[in-house]
Amino acid sequence: MNVEGLVEQVVSGLGFELVDFETSPKGRLMRVFIDIERGVTVDDCATVSNQLTRVFEVENVDYDRLEVSSPGLDRPLKKLSDFERFTGSDVQVRLHMPIGNQRNFAGVLEGVVEGQVRLRTEKGEVAFPFDEIEKARLVPKF
Protein backbone atom coordinates (compact mmCIF):
# COMPACT_ATOMS: atom_id res chain seq x y z
CA MET A 1 0.00 0.00 0.00
CA ASN A 2 1.22 3.51 -0.84
CA VAL A 3 0.80 5.38 2.45
CA GLU A 4 2.06 8.67 0.98
CA GLY A 5 -0.54 8.45 -1.80
CA LEU A 6 -3.23 7.81 0.82
CA VAL A 7 -2.07 10.79 2.89
CA GLU A 8 -2.00 13.01 -0.22
CA GLN A 9 -5.56 11.95 -1.10
CA VAL A 10 -6.91 12.70 2.41
CA VAL A 11 -5.05 16.02 2.77
CA SER A 12 -6.07 17.35 -0.65
CA GLY A 13 -9.62 16.06 -0.11
CA LEU A 14 -9.82 18.32 2.93
CA GLY A 15 -8.66 21.30 0.84
CA PHE A 16 -5.03 21.41 1.97
CA GLU A 17 -1.73 20.98 0.15
CA LEU A 18 0.58 18.16 1.22
CA VAL A 19 3.95 19.92 1.47
CA ASP A 20 5.98 17.02 2.82
CA PHE A 21 5.59 13.53 4.25
CA GLU A 22 8.26 11.85 6.36
CA THR A 23 8.39 8.52 8.15
CA SER A 24 10.90 7.15 10.62
CA PRO A 25 12.98 4.18 9.38
CA LYS A 26 10.46 1.54 10.52
CA GLY A 27 7.45 3.75 9.74
CA ARG A 28 6.52 4.04 13.43
CA LEU A 29 6.40 7.84 13.32
CA MET A 30 4.67 9.70 10.49
CA ARG A 31 5.07 13.45 9.97
CA VAL A 32 2.66 15.26 7.67
CA PHE A 33 3.27 18.89 6.70
CA ILE A 34 0.26 20.74 5.31
CA ASP A 35 -0.32 24.20 3.91
CA ILE A 36 -3.19 26.35 2.70
CA GLU A 37 -3.23 29.81 1.13
CA ARG A 38 -4.63 31.54 4.28
CA GLY A 39 -2.08 29.85 6.57
CA VAL A 40 -2.42 26.74 8.74
CA THR A 41 -4.15 26.87 12.15
CA VAL A 42 -3.99 24.43 15.07
CA ASP A 43 -7.59 23.45 14.24
CA ASP A 44 -6.52 22.59 10.67
CA CYS A 45 -3.83 20.26 12.02
CA ALA A 46 -6.38 18.60 14.33
CA THR A 47 -8.86 18.15 11.48
CA VAL A 48 -6.27 16.52 9.21
CA SER A 49 -4.91 14.38 12.06
CA ASN A 50 -8.39 13.10 13.02
CA GLN A 51 -9.25 12.30 9.40
CA LEU A 52 -5.93 10.49 8.80
CA THR A 53 -6.35 8.49 12.03
CA ARG A 54 -9.77 7.28 10.84
CA VAL A 55 -8.51 6.42 7.35
CA PHE A 56 -5.46 4.58 8.76
CA GLU A 57 -7.77 2.47 10.94
CA VAL A 58 -9.92 1.50 7.97
CA GLU A 59 -6.87 0.80 5.77
CA ASN A 60 -4.98 -1.06 8.56
CA VAL A 61 -1.97 1.27 8.41
CA ASP A 62 0.32 0.34 11.30
CA TYR A 63 2.09 3.21 13.09
CA ASP A 64 2.80 4.51 16.61
CA ARG A 65 2.61 8.28 16.24
CA LEU A 66 1.21 10.78 13.76
CA GLU A 67 2.28 14.44 13.71
CA VAL A 68 0.53 17.00 11.53
CA SER A 69 1.93 20.53 11.29
CA SER A 70 2.51 23.52 9.05
CA PRO A 71 5.76 23.54 7.06
CA GLY A 72 7.02 26.58 9.00
CA LEU A 73 8.65 29.74 7.71
CA ASP A 74 11.60 27.76 6.30
CA ARG A 75 9.20 25.63 4.28
CA PRO A 76 10.78 23.05 1.94
CA LEU A 77 10.26 23.49 -1.81
CA LYS A 78 9.50 20.08 -3.31
CA LYS A 79 7.46 20.53 -6.48
CA LEU A 80 8.17 22.60 -9.56
CA SER A 81 5.00 24.57 -8.74
CA ASP A 82 6.59 25.56 -5.37
CA PHE A 83 9.47 27.22 -7.23
CA GLU A 84 6.97 29.14 -9.39
CA ARG A 85 4.77 30.10 -6.43
CA PHE A 86 7.64 31.45 -4.30
CA THR A 87 9.37 33.49 -7.04
CA GLY A 88 10.92 36.56 -5.41
CA SER A 89 11.60 34.76 -2.12
CA ASP A 90 14.97 34.10 -0.49
CA VAL A 91 15.89 30.42 -0.81
CA GLN A 92 18.66 27.93 -0.10
CA VAL A 93 19.24 25.18 -2.65
CA ARG A 94 21.44 22.07 -2.50
CA LEU A 95 22.17 20.15 -5.71
CA HIS A 96 22.82 16.43 -6.17
CA MET A 97 26.00 17.16 -8.14
CA PRO A 98 28.18 20.28 -7.83
CA ILE A 99 28.27 22.96 -10.51
CA GLY A 100 31.76 24.46 -10.61
CA ASN A 101 32.72 22.88 -7.24
CA GLN A 102 29.57 24.27 -5.59
CA ARG A 103 26.54 22.31 -4.36
CA ASN A 104 24.93 24.88 -2.06
CA PHE A 105 23.42 28.10 -3.36
CA ALA A 106 21.54 30.92 -1.65
CA GLY A 107 19.75 33.80 -3.30
CA VAL A 108 16.47 35.15 -4.58
CA LEU A 109 14.30 32.77 -6.56
CA GLU A 110 13.83 34.21 -10.04
CA GLY A 111 11.34 31.59 -11.18
CA VAL A 112 11.33 28.66 -13.57
CA VAL A 113 12.07 28.80 -17.29
CA GLU A 114 11.73 25.61 -19.38
CA GLY A 115 12.35 23.32 -16.39
CA GLN A 116 15.34 25.35 -15.19
CA VAL A 117 15.16 26.92 -11.74
CA ARG A 118 16.71 30.40 -11.82
CA LEU A 119 18.37 31.95 -8.80
CA ARG A 120 19.91 35.40 -8.35
CA THR A 121 22.95 35.07 -6.05
CA GLU A 122 25.59 37.56 -4.92
CA LYS A 123 27.77 36.33 -7.81
CA GLY A 124 25.05 36.73 -10.44
CA GLU A 125 22.31 34.54 -11.84
CA VAL A 126 22.52 30.75 -11.90
CA ALA A 127 20.12 28.20 -13.37
CA PHE A 128 19.90 24.46 -12.89
CA PRO A 129 17.51 21.70 -13.96
CA PHE A 130 14.73 21.06 -11.43
CA ASP A 131 15.65 17.37 -11.16
CA GLU A 132 19.22 18.27 -10.12
CA ILE A 133 17.89 19.82 -6.88
CA GLU A 134 18.43 17.60 -3.84
CA LYS A 135 16.91 19.99 -1.29
CA ALA A 136 15.51 23.50 -1.29
CA ARG A 137 13.81 25.67 1.31
CA LEU A 138 12.65 29.20 1.93
CA VAL A 139 14.85 31.44 4.06
CA PRO A 140 12.62 33.54 6.34
CA LYS A 141 13.30 37.27 6.72
CA PHE A 142 13.20 38.72 10.21
Side-chain angles (χ1 to χ4, degrees), residues 40-52:
V40 176
T41 66
V42 173
D43 289 343
D44 294 335
C45 294
T47 299
V48 171
S49 180
N50 292 337
Q51 187 66 29
L52 283 172

Side-chain angles (χ1 to χ4, degrees), residues 25-40:
K26 293 191 175 102
R28 304 313 301 166
L29 165 66
M30 287 190 242
R31 284 196 178 103
V32 177
F33 297 91
I34 59 171
D35 206 358
I36 193 165
E37 208 60 47
R38 61 172 164 71
V40 176

Side-chain angles (χ1 to χ4, degrees), residues 28-82:
R28 304 313 301 166
L29 165 66
M30 287 190 242
R31 284 196 178 103
V32 177
F33 297 91
I34 59 171
D35 206 358
I36 193 165
E37 208 60 47
R38 61 172 164 71
V40 176
T41 66
V42 173
D43 289 343
D44 294 335
C45 294
T47 299
V48 171
S49 180
N50 292 337
Q51 187 66 29
L52 283 172
T53 301
R54 286 197 287 277
V55 170
F56 290 166
E57 270 175 37
V58 171
E59 298 291 334
N60 292 318
V61 176
D62 188 30
Y63 67 100
D64 289 333
R65 208 164 92 223
L66 172 65
E67 294 176 1
V68 178
S69 65
S70 84
L73 294 174
D74 62 343
R75 162 195 173 121
L77 304 177
K78 296 277 192 178
K79 305 179 216 79
L80 199 54
S81 59
D82 292 342

Side-chain angles (χ1 to χ4, degrees), residues 59-129:
E59 298 291 334
N60 292 318
V61 176
D62 188 30
Y63 67 100
D64 289 333
R65 208 164 92 223
L66 172 65
E67 294 176 1
V68 178
S69 65
S70 84
L73 294 174
D74 62 343
R75 162 195 173 121
L77 304 177
K78 296 277 192 178
K79 305 179 216 79
L80 199 54
S81 59
D82 292 342
F83 288 90
E84 291 162 351
R85 175 175 164 194
F86 291 103
T87 294
S89 299
D90 288 339
V91 295
Q92 285 179 331
V93 176
R94 182 163 73 216
L95 304 178
H96 291 291
M97 299 298 292
I99 294 177
N101 290 333
Q102 190 176 352
R103 274 183 67 196
N104 296 304
F105 294 86
V108 177
L109 190 55
E110 294 279 294
V112 180
V113 179
E114 294 169 5
Q116 297 267 322
V117 174
R118 293 173 43 220
L119 196 62
R120 189 174 69 240
T121 69
E122 289 177 1
K123 296 176 184 167
E125 194 171 290
V126 290
F128 19 78

